[in-house]
């Protein structure tokens, strides 16, 4: 059994993907070009925002957003304590300071109450200026944007949506990667919409920020890349990756439907035995992960062993809170406590989740887990 089944996906769609890649090779165009601009247009339409700017990966996408806003020295950026390292890593890159915020025990996403407390505390201390919030759509479910928006409006903060795992999720009819002032995603192969290498994108309705991101991602270009008006970077999505993504986007909605079917079977079989994912009313997950919670660490350890014995892959996302990462040791000393994150790191477990999982396979996972 596969944790993510990229092989089956390829075999099912081999003809279209091969044709797209071959056409690209025959055209001899590997950087930029029509597939990249067509992809950007398709993604912007899909998400429902004005601008999509492709880039080299999801980490760069976050960094480009902070650069476009001019976040820097003396600024506080509020980041969930429970996320992939990139979300927090980009903050010191622009010389700002990440402030870790605890999560909600049901959704795994940033707790709006904890966010408000953290902003108040930073203001009281007066050492840093609260500047931006990076909300993460963890495991595929959008963060609680209606409540987070109230807080960012009240304290005049910029909102960055890290939709690396969120692409395909929605709140009502509004899609993930449209919730931030700027939103970003990743096309790392096992993300909801993955390419065949690294890739990422930035989304925004704001013309000025879009133009800045387009400049920063190509060496701070002015009228072209040999006219350099600011210090930027080199962050491009390869043409071949754009060609692959254009094909994958065609069947992406069908995959989302299949993953919802898989999630429903898991939840039916596991409910009441372990804590199953909670999807808020009116929210739709893109199911980047199906993550359960055990009563304690020992129970999780036993479950992992049982799955391993049965040859079933599973993964602990995430074993360590951001504030306990060695890289953040110096700033975490005066940090705000994040007890929910600490607890969940000890009991969470992500199970195989992809559109090609058969019902019998889900049953096999559940019976091994509960045996
Ligand atoms: C994967 C991921 C990223 C980074 O994306 P890359 O394309 O690997 O750079 C950022 N944030 C979150 C939440 C992620 O899961």
């Amino acid at each position: 059994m596969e944790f993510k089944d990229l092989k089956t996906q390829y075999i099912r769609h081999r003809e279209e993907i091969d044709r797209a890649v071959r056409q690209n090779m025959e055209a001899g165009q590997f950087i930029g070009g029509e597939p990249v601009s067509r992809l950007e247009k398709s993604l912007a339409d899909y998400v429902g925002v004005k601008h999509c700017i492709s880039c080299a990966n999801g980490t760069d996408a976050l960094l480009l957003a902070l650069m476009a806003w001019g976040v820097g020295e003396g600024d506080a950026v509020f980041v969930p304590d429970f996320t992939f390292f990139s979300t927090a890593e980009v903050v010191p890159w622009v010389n700002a300071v990440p402030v870790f915020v605890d999560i909600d025990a049901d959704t795994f996403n940033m707790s709006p109450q904890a966010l408000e407390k953290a902003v108040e505390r930073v203001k009281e201390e007066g050492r840093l200026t609260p500047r931006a919030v990076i909300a993460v759509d963890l495991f595929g479910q959008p963060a609680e944007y209606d409540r987070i928006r109230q807080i960012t409006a009240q304290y005049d903060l910029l909102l960055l949506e890290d939709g690396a795992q969120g692409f395909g999720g929605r709140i009502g009819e509004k899609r993930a990667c449209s919730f931030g002032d700027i939103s970003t995603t990743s096309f790392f192969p096992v993300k909801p919409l993955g390419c065949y290498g690294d890739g990422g994108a930035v989304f925004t309705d704001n013309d000025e920020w879009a133009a800045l991101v387009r400049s920063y991602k190509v060496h701070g270009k002015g009228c072209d890349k040999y006219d350099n008006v600011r210090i930027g970077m080199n962050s491009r999505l390869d043409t071949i990756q754009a060609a692959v993504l254009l094909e994958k986007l065609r069947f992406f909605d069908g995959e989302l439907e299949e993953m919802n079917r898989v999630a429903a079977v898991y939840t039916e079989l596991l409910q009441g035995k372990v804590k199953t994912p909670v999807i808020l009313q009116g929210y739709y997950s893109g199911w980047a992960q199906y993550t359960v919670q055990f009563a304690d660490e020992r129970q999780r350890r036993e479950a992992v062993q049982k799955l391993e014995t049965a040859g079933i892959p599973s993964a602990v996302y995430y074993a360590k809170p951001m504030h306990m990462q060695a890289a953040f040791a110096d700033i975490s000393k005066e940090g705000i406590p994040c007890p929910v994150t600490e607890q969940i790191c000890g009991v969470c477990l992500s199970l195989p989740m992809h559109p090609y999982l058969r019902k019998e396979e889900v049953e096999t996972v559940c019976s091994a887990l509960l045996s």
Side-chain angles (χ1 to χ4, degrees):
M1 198 180 305
E2 303 282 336
F3 191 70
K4 294 274 167 192
D5 196 351
L6 298 176
K7 283 180 261 178
T8 300
Q9 185 194 51
Y10 173 61
I11 289 163
R12 294 268 177 98
H13 299 280
R14 176 177 243 155
E15 238 174 86
E16 315 94 272
I17 294 172
D18 283 3
R19 193 187 322 111
V21 171
R22 205 168 47 239
Q23 273 174 2
N24 207 83
M25 310 264 269
E26 285 164 2
Q29 182 155 48
F30 300 105
I31 299 291
E34 190 269 339
V36 176
S37 41
R38 188 150 48 94
L39 176 71
E40 290 178 342
K41 173 86 178 60
S42 304
L43 290 171
D45 289 348
Y46 184 85
V47 164
V49 299
K50 193 166 170 195
H51 303 281
C52 168
I53 304 111
S54 61
C55 64
N57 55 67
T59 310
D60 282 5
L62 291 165
L63 178 63
L64 284 162
L66 297 181
M67 288 167 81
W69 285 337
V71 172
E73 187 105 41
D75 289 337
V77 178
F78 300 85
V79 175
D81 197 33
F82 191 64
T83 182
F84 180 63
F85 191 60
S86 294
T87 316
E89 183 180 27
V90 293
V91 177
W93 242 350
V94 294
N95 298 314
V97 178
V99 176
F100 300 118
V101 176
D102 211 358
I103 57 163
D104 179 277
D106 285 341
T107 63
F108 302 105
N109 281 330
M110 180 185 267
S111 151
Q113 296 104 291
L115 172 63
E116 182 154 24
K117 272 195 208 144
V119 177
E120 280 291 349
R121 179 161 148 176
V122 168
K123 278 185 63 173
E124 261 163 45
E125 284 175 354
R127 202 168 44 85
L128 298 167
T129 310
R131 192 70 204 288
V133 174
I134 309 182
V136 179
D137 304 335
L138 205 72
F139 303 149
Q141 176 166 219
E144 278 183 75
Y145 289 106
D146 32 1
R147 295 174 65 199
I148 290 174
R149 266 285 173 211
Q150 288 170 357
I151 297 165
T152 56
Q154 185 185 338
Y155 294 94
D156 196 21
L157 304 171
L158 292 158
L159 177 58
L160 175 52
E161 173 187 8
D162 179 353
Q165 300 181 19
F167 198 85
R170 303 183 267 129
I171 304 175
E173 293 307 307
K174 195 167 161 55
R175 286 188 200 271
C177 294
S178 72
F179 296 112
D181 296 311
I182 297 181
S183 303
T184 62
T185 197
S186 162
F187 305 121
F188 184 77
V190 298
K191 301 289 160 124
L193 180 65
C195 62
Y196 288 166
D198 277 309
V202 178
F203 299 87
T204 185
D205 282 323
N206 184 297
D207 298 343
E208 190 189 329
W209 296 333
L212 281 169
V213 169
R214 285 207 182 277
S215 169
Y216 277 122
K217 68 167 257 193
V218 184
H219 308 290
K221 71 173 172 144
C223 54
D224 63 41
K225 86 174 191 191
Y226 305 103
D227 172 38
N228 310 97
V229 297
R230 49 183 71 84
I231 301 299
M233 57 208 262
N234 173 20
S235 187
R236 294 178 294 230
L237 180 75
D238 294 349
T239 319
I240 287 179
Q241 301 303 345
V244 169
L245 286 167
L246 277 165
E247 292 309 316
K248 285 207 190 183
L249 193 56
R250 288 178 206 273
F251 55 82
F252 181 65
D253 281 345
E255 291 196 332
L256 280 179
E257 249 172 69
E258 288 301 305
M259 285 194 287
N260 272 298
R261 174 189 57 77
V262 172
V265 179
Y266 267 132
T267 299
E268 188 194 319
L269 296 175
L270 295 176
Q271 212 153 40
K273 287 147 188 148
V274 296
K275 183 167 174 179
T276 52
V278 176
I279 306 300
L280 299 176
Q281 184 81 36
Y283 282 56
Y284 299 84
S285 179
W287 295 112
Q289 302 295 342
Y290 187 93
T291 304
V292 297
Q293 296 177 51
F294 292 90
D296 53 42
E297 263 189 273
R298 192 182 52 88
Q299 229 188 56
R300 179 176 72 184
R301 207 173 319 118
E302 285 169 7
V304 170
Q305 266 160 14
K306 280 180 192 152
L307 291 173
E308 239 171 54
T309 310
I312 298 165
S314 66
V316 175
Y317 297 130
Y318 295 95
K320 206 184 261 192
M322 283 300 116
H323 77 268
M324 290 187 178
Q325 293 287 359
F328 292 125
D330 52 340
I331 59 158
S332 294
K333 286 195 292 275
E334 316 117 62
I336 301 159
C338 295
V340 179
T341 301
E342 285 180 26
Q343 192 260 333
I344 284 182
C345 285
V347 299
C348 60
L349 188 68
S350 300
L351 304 177
M353 171 50 96
H354 57 75
Y356 308 98
L357 263 186
R358 285 175 287 113
K359 185 158 190 266
E360 308 83 79
E361 291 179 301
V362 180
E363 286 166 355
T364 306
V365 176
C366 296
S367 55
L369 192 76
L370 300 172
S371 65

